[in-house]
Amino acid sequence: MMNFPIISLERLNGEERKHTMEKIKDACENWGFFELVNHGIPHDLMDTLERLTKEHYRKCMEQRFREFVSNRGLDAVQTEVKDMDWESTFHVRHLPESNISEVPDLSDEYRKVMKEFAFRLEKLAEELLDLLCENLGLEKGYLKKAFYGSRGPTFGTKVANYPQCPNPELVKGLRAHTDAGGIILLFQDDKVSGLQLLKDGEWVDVPPMRHSIVVNLGDQLEVITNGKYKSVEHRVIAQTNGTRMSIASFYNPGSDAVIYPAPKLLEKETVEKNNVYPKFVFEEYMKIYAGLKFHAKEPRFEALKGSNENLGPIAII
């Protein structure tokens, strides 16, 4: 079995910093995923959020999901389902402005804990972006600045539950895809597994670990690094042994942010061969992604080449 990269952030301080940075670099270049421990988010906060999330699902969403399954006939399928996922979700936006007060059925305690967790995750995401800058040879703050539109980055959370499934071989918890945005931080169930990533043509399990944060890179970091770091296809396998909790938070560019390869990372030969990712407004990418999420990412990039000449050329250093 391949050794999934597990990285302790506390080892950034002291003699092991160089080794830890190398592990982050290798994970970004060869996996597109890694799992963080000792990340600074209090374990009691994570425990409370997990308890409230599971309570909320049982009280407010479980029956709705059962009705959805029954209405769509998903509990009696005989052939593979390719247009639906076995998941129950809701979304919360944190930046540029929060909508958590408008999300229905959340208790005051749940809203308070979610806000605190999101604040700490936002800071962790920005810390990670600066570590990526260091490994890439970019100035500190470059990636955070690249994500800034006129109102800063966008940051939101998808709360998902993947209930016990009678036919996991016929319906996916979540179909294979890459993530459209920037950097994704996942707090996942530590007992029920299901998340897998595609590496070297094989599906590899992302191991459930108590109090860890799973990090993966989105399509925008692939563009900014001109393919040095790549977003990786991943999926969720529905399980027969219980409901899996997933709290995924997406630190993405602002909707009007202009995304393009960092000039410092472009080599003359790459430019001459036209092996340069496109320059585009993030919102335009999202329009394409909405219709092609569960397809290969390359056509999404190709669709934007030559479509934004008004944004000007990419400066080469």
Side-chain angles (χ1 to χ4, degrees):
M1 180 180 169
M2 301 183 194
N3 291 321
F4 186 85
I6 298 169
I7 294 166
S8 173
L9 279 191
E10 71 177 2
R11 293 184 176 173
L12 285 172
N13 303 314
E15 295 178 0
E16 294 191 61
R17 178 179 175 82
K18 182 179 179 182
H19 176 65
T20 302
M21 292 299 290
E22 286 173 355
K23 285 185 72 172
I24 294 172
K25 180 175 182 286
D26 179 74
C28 290
E29 290 181 352
N30 297 307
W31 288 82
F33 269 78
F34 52 94
E35 198 152 4
L36 287 180
V37 294
N38 302 313
H39 41 63
I41 298 177
H43 291 178
D44 59 347
L45 177 64
M46 299 178 78
D47 290 340
T48 303
L49 180 61
E50 179 175 358
R51 173 179 61 80
L52 293 170
T53 298
K54 291 182 175 180
E55 285 177 3
H56 174 265
Y57 173 72
R58 287 192 296 269
K59 290 178 182 176
C60 303
M61 301 188 74
E62 187 170 22
Q63 183 57 36
R64 279 182 236 164
F65 181 75
R66 287 176 178 169
E67 292 170 2
F68 165 78
V69 166
S70 178
N71 291 338
R72 298 297 181 95
L74 285 176
D75 50 350
V77 293
Q78 302 293 318
T79 57
E80 186 177 0
V81 177
K82 297 183 177 181
D83 60 351
M84 281 184 285
D85 301 305
W86 190 270
E87 65 171 358
S88 171
T89 67
F90 69 91
H91 296 80
V92 180
R93 184 178 67 246
H94 310 298
L95 296 174
E97 71 281 316
S98 174
N99 72 343
I100 196 166
S101 63
E102 301 159 24
V103 179
D105 302 325
L106 304 185
S107 68
D108 289 344
E109 183 187 14
Y110 196 10
R111 291 181 209 275
K112 180 181 177 182
V113 170
M114 178 71 78
K115 284 174 73 171
E116 173 66 17
F117 182 70
F119 175 77
R120 290 177 178 272
L121 269 190
E122 177 192 341
K123 300 309 173 191
L124 178 58
E126 291 173 350
E127 178 186 353
L128 289 170
L129 288 175
D130 277 343
L131 294 176
L132 267 56
C133 283
E134 185 176 336
N135 273 335
L136 289 163
L138 298 172
E139 65 188 49
K140 184 176 181 179
Y142 181 94
L143 291 172
K144 181 180 175 181
K145 185 178 178 183
F147 283 13
Y148 259 60
S150 58
R151 302 171 67 199
T154 53
F155 184 50
T157 297
K158 173 188 174 183
V159 180
N161 282 276
Y162 298 92
Q164 191 168 328
C165 179
N167 298 299
E169 70 282 359
L170 297 179
V171 56
K172 296 287 186 296
L174 182 59
R175 289 161 286 165
H177 64 289
T178 63
D179 288 327
I183 191 165
I184 300 87
L185 294 87
L186 168 69
F187 173 27
Q188 68 167 347
D189 204 294
D190 67 323
K191 295 179 179 66
V192 182
S193 62
L195 178 61
Q196 296 181 330
L197 64 92
L198 189 63
K199 178 166 173 58
D200 302 328
E202 295 182 18
W203 288 105
V204 177
D205 291 326
V206 177
M209 285 180 60
R210 188 158 176 75
H211 298 139
S212 71
I213 297 290
V214 177
V215 179
N216 71 285
L217 311 182
D219 294 346
Q220 306 313 302
L221 284 177
E222 179 167 338
V223 172
I224 294 171
T225 65
N226 204 54
K228 188 175 181 66
Y229 294 169
K230 287 186 167 62
S231 59
V232 169
E233 208 172 334
H234 53 285
R235 68 184 185 182
V236 176
I237 299 298
Q239 302 291 329
T240 59
N241 65 339
T243 297
R244 173 179 176 267
M245 179 199 75
S246 164
I247 303 173
S249 297
F250 300 78
Y251 189 100
N252 291 345
S255 60
D256 61 350
V258 179
I259 303 299
Y260 55 91
K264 193 171 182 179
L265 301 181
L266 293 178
E267 298 173 359
K268 185 178 179 183
E269 183 180 347
T270 302
V271 177
E272 289 173 350
K273 290 182 178 178
N274 201 28
N275 293 331
V276 179
Y277 280 68
K279 184 177 187 178
F280 53 83
V281 176
F282 180 59
E283 187 175 40
E284 295 302 310
Y285 185 82
M286 290 306 295
K287 289 176 183 175
I288 295 172
Y289 182 84
L292 297 173
K293 175 177 178 176
F294 298 110
H295 295 75
K297 62 188 171 182
E298 290 78 14
R300 302 197 292 260
F301 296 140
E302 286 297 322
L304 288 160
K305 284 189 174 179
S307 64
N308 288 298
E309 286 91 347
N310 58 316
L311 296 177
I314 300 167
I316 310 300
I317 293 178

